[in-house]
Amino acid sequence: QLAESGGGSVQTGGSLRLSCEASGNTERRVCMGWFRQSPGKETEWVASIDPSGRTKYADSLKGRVTISQDNARHILYLEMNTLIPEDGARYHCAARDGGVCCWDRDREACYVLPIDYNWYGPGTQVTVSS
């Protein structure tokens, strides 16, 4: 099971740190990711991290978000800075079984579609006001 927290309301330029706590079978190797969903928009992949700590970010968010994980506590984080109203969405953490986030050596071909992930948390809402 996955459970997100840390969402809230901030002003433009503000920061938030989202957390996702995993419970249950936490020993399996998984690729962890963050997705976000806004009304009327397609679900958007934000970032992912593999068991070795290698990260990948959506181009539109690169430089403003940082994904990290505490393997000992089974917690995934998403640090978000310089937030803009367009970042307002419901943020979900997700897990992909097997531990592989990108299937090519250059890490250019990566799993970024919602269907690529097996488990999702219920999400945490982020609102950014102008």
Side-chain angles (χ1 to χ4, degrees), residues 17 26 45 51 75 84 91 99 126 130:
R17 187 175 81 156
T26 57
W45 168 75
I75 301 176
I84 59 177
Y91 285 73
V126 171
S130 56

Side-chain angles (χ1 to χ4, degrees), residues 16-18 34 46-47 49 55 57 61-69 77-81:
L16 281 174
R17 187 175 81 156
L18 308 183
W34 286 97
V46 174
I49 185 168
T55 59
Y57 297 95
L61 291 152
K62 198 176 295 184
R64 295 196 298 119
V65 299
T66 302
I67 188 172
S68 61
Q69 60 190 358
Y77 299 102
L78 184 70
E79 187 84 32
M80 302 191 295
N81 300 302

Side-chain angles (χ1 to χ4, degrees), residues 11-125:
Q11 291 188 327
T12 296
S15 299
L16 281 174
R17 187 175 81 156
L18 308 183
S19 300
C20 171
E21 187 168 355
S23 60
N25 188 359
T26 57
E27 298 305 314
R28 65 198 311 159
R29 289 177 59 82
V30 290
C31 163
M32 296 298 298
W34 286 97
F35 287 80
R36 64 184 185 182
Q37 188 174 28
S38 300
K41 295 183 180 180
E42 291 188 359
T43 300
E44 180 183 12
W45 168 75
V46 174
S48 59
I49 185 168
D50 70 13
S52 298
R54 293 179 297 182
T55 59
K56 192 73 174 176
Y57 297 95
D59 288 341
S60 61
L61 291 152
K62 198 176 295 184
R64 295 196 298 119
V65 299
T66 302
I67 188 172
S68 61
Q69 60 190 358
D70 183 332
N71 290 330
R73 298 171 62 198
H74 308 295
I75 301 176
L76 178 73
Y77 299 102
L78 184 70
E79 187 84 32
M80 302 191 295
N81 300 302
T82 320
L83 286 164
I84 59 177
E86 289 74 17
D87 293 322
R90 190 160 190 86
Y91 285 73
H92 300 266
C93 65
R96 173 182 167 80
D97 200 10
V100 175
C101 292
C102 302
W103 66 84
D104 67 322
R105 186 172 61 181
D106 294 331
R107 297 180 55 74
E108 293 296 328
C110 303
Y111 295 107
V112 300
L113 298 177
I115 198 173
D116 293 329
Y117 288 72
N118 304 95
W119 302 281
Y120 283 87
T124 185
Q125 186 67 38

